Amino acid sequence: MRVPNPDIHVRARPDPRSRWLAAVLAALTLLLFGPGPGPALAAQDTAPASQNVSSEVQIQIDSFGVGNVARRGDWAGIRFRIMDTAARERELVVRLAVSDPDGDRPMYQRELTANPGVSQGVWMYARLPFGFEPGQDMVFSVHEAEIGGGGEAGDTGYTAGRLLGRMIVTPNGRSVLPATEAMFTVVGGRAMGLRAYSTRANPQDAWLPIGNELTEVVLGVQPADLPDRWMGLIPTSTLVWGSGDPAELRGDRARAVREWVERGGHLVIVLPSVGQTWTNPASSDLYDLLPAVVVERREGVDLNAYRPLLTRRATTSLPTNATVHTFSKSAGALPAEASIVLAAPDGTGVVARRLVGAGAVTLVGIDLNTASFNQADAFEAEVFWHRVLGRRNPLSLPEDTNSGFPLAASRNATVYDNEIASIIARTGRSAAAVLLGFVVFGLYWLIAGPVGYALLKMRKLSHHAWLAFVGAAIVFTVLAWGGATMLRPAKVEATHLTLLDHTYGQPYQRARMWASVMVPWDGSATISVGDPVLAEAGLTNRLPGVVAPWEAYSTDLASGVTFPDARGYVIDTRSPDSFTFPTRSTTKQVRVDWSDGPVWKMPRPVSDEDQLRLTSSAEGAAASVVQGRLIHEMPGTLTDAYIVVVRRTRPLESPRRVVNASDAMPTVAVAYSLPIEGWPSGETLDLSLVTAPQRGDNSSSAAEFFLRRFRYATGGFGISQRPEGANREDKLTSLAFFPVLPAPELGANDDTARYAALRTATHTYDLGRWFTQPCVIIVGHLGPERESPVPLALDGKRVPTSGRTVVRWVYPLPDDPPAYPASVVEAPAQDTQPAANDGG
């Protein structure tokens, strides 16, 4: 039976182990004392609303997500258009209200000055719940701004006064994606071959026909459509600029793209054949992010010489009079500032890259935006884009029906990050409290009911049954509250899972943390990300990150347990690095996206002489793969650690007439495991020993075995009998290599071979891009009882955290673009001219 899309009819469900005590005590209270007052919401904009209401401010949805596409469970940038019908200018408060797993109403808020009679665009940013349904449970409202304290938790400035307009938010564009789909965003109207990443064999499939995760390609975005804050770009892993004047990207929108790149985004710029101005500093606010290369413009290029770079097919018609921009490194450019990813037949670069913080900017010199490249069979994404983006898996069905890839009748959809909620759940005291609740309730029912009445009847005191019932109720109420008080935590603490990415030599690193924060009091509390000491002293002007309520991904149709006293609280939609929320002596689950300078002393070469390098073929087969020594001073031993060495990009293939499906890795790589005792802090790791030949099972001639083992690290379909085991560490490690996990073996009888790898909460947090250039990757674990590097604070004080951090560290190596097959004849020299300020 085919596995349905796991995101159909999704409902978010709080972690039951952290909510059951509240439910049990609520039931006891209801039983003993009757129903209490109904829920009270904190603001009028959380009241029910059917559609637009007659109002002084007209409201329209301009874009639900960038390009009218958003994803459940992730941040979304939503642009509204409002028009105030008042006679004069006034201050407004606008709010976007959603729900959190506790039943409370986070209200993302900003203030603005209305311009009467003029339609104004307003960007709002909010994290969509996993269970978000279009047209339900999201309200946009406009209020008259009032000066003074409003008394609402987290009020960001003005008080929301008289309601001027309100509407239920119903996306009017493309779609709200399921949580299992990735996203590319394209500036321009042509797909440039990228649509192959969203191909389905059947409309209901949640995966590629011969692959894993689907990727939605969002087309038609214009420079003016990009958000004014980086949070709006969080869902997309790659922003491909196909057409549009970079001069239109200015101010807040340019800063948003810049910060998104620094925090791990990949900006790919396809240079146009004519009129490119990216390399003109006066025309682009992002000029300093471009690779440090000299650009030359070649006219009259026969792209048949580039065929192995674009397609495996010998019959595909390619332009014979194209314009190509080539790249050569600027004098004095550092390796991180310029590397050649793909080259022309004569060795000059046609794809160049610059590392920027945790992200990268890539220039493509072949104009894929032309009409000739946007025909169905013009070129193959898995030949070109796999080598630029760091992907694998066949993107099309094989032309040869005997290729060994028959479509399967069923697939095992496996969510690789489905254990986040259980990892951060605080189960100890919660389980004891739940048990106490059941015991107390059971004893109460017995003593106040049949057992107590039987005892009274035996003693002929049944006429005192009512008095005994009241007494039992009082006694067990005291026992319940007393026991709950004894088990109630007395200090603030948090359990976390953190994914930490760092590229050696870069000033910024990034992390995504999920945390369950215990707040042992009733009332309210303010949670924030960033160093509270620096923030209070005003020593930082860079938003360290964003924090939002989070809930477990679930396909359970039942609604979750929520608190009866639901309340609203305000989050600054433009700077959501903190929010004040209602507290009830229980936990609050949050997701944090953080980026800043390194908090820990990350791995680094011991000395200048220990810089890492690959051995050359001249050094012989007996030489180690990598030379150099590393040391780290992170707070603990790095365990369950692996080293992957990406040696070079796989050579280009000769074109042929019949093309079979291919799941080849885009690179030649080797993988090694560190000793089981791990890599202690302060100790030297000699990579010449780790990557030495003849190490048996600790190494592989290719990374294929290493990657295939993670198929069996997913759990859920009887893999516990396999020797590899289904341990939590492997599941978390596999997320780093998600885009290059092997394709399923669809013709196999083994159910585990027909898997479909999916993810819901860790989109964009992988190292796939690094499989396009030489590098050394180290992935290991600190924990499970270690503090997170992400600075989380509650009411201005650092929160003690305990949990697991998965460290993913990358050391870039000198570039080595793939070689052309010997059968390809180098194209004759074309006319060239400098293109530093190319105007066409």
Side-chain angles (χ1 to χ4, degrees), residues 444-511:
Y444 164 73
W445 182 84
L446 289 172
I447 293 177
V451 173
Y453 183 78
L455 291 174
L456 290 174
K457 190 174 182 180
M458 287 176 57
R459 296 177 176 270
K460 298 182 180 182
L461 297 175
S462 57
H463 56 286
H464 294 301
W466 178 246
L467 182 62
F469 172 78
V470 173
I474 294 173
V475 170
F476 280 97
T477 298
V478 172
L479 287 176
W481 283 109
T485 302
M486 291 175 60
L487 292 173
R488 177 178 175 177
K491 62 180 181 179
V492 174
E493 54 189 357
T495 303
H496 77 92
L497 170 65
T498 303
L499 304 181
L500 175 66
D501 291 350
H502 181 68
T503 302
Y504 175 72
Q506 292 299 306
Y508 296 123
Q509 59 183 196
R510 69 167 184 170

Side-chain angles (χ1 to χ4, degrees), residues 8 26 41 189 211 225 285 372 426 489 496 512 515 644-645 755 763-764 813 826:
I8 296 177
L41 300 183
D225 298 331
D285 281 3
S372 57
R426 304 176 59 84
H496 77 92
R512 179 169 291 174
V644 176
V645 182
Y755 77 128
H763 290 288
T764 76
L813 294 170
E826 183 177 319

Side-chain angles (χ1 to χ4, degrees), residues 18 72 80 134 159 170 236 282 367 428 588 599 626 651 662 796-797 830:
S18 62
R72 291 176 175 86
F80 296 88
T159 297
T170 303
T236 191
D367 188 3
K588 186 73 173 180
V599 174
V626 178
S662 174
K797 296 180 180 179
Q830 291 87 19

Side-chain angles (χ1 to χ4, degrees), residues 8 47 198 217 285 298 301 324 398 432 446 476 488 742 832:
I8 296 177
S198 56
V217 180
D285 281 3
R298 296 182 176 182
V301 177
V324 174
L446 289 172
F476 280 97
R488 177 178 175 177
T832 63

Side-chain angles (χ1 to χ4, degrees), residues 32 77 100 220 238 240 285 307 330 365 381 386 389 436 485 505 569 573 591 624 638 694 735 749:
L32 298 179
D100 72 9
T238 305
V240 181
D285 281 3
R307 183 178 295 273
S330 302
H386 271 19
L389 304 177
L436 172 66
T485 302
Y569 57 96
T573 190
R591 171 184 137 178
S624 300
L638 197 68
Q694 307 300 324
L735 296 172
N749 293 323

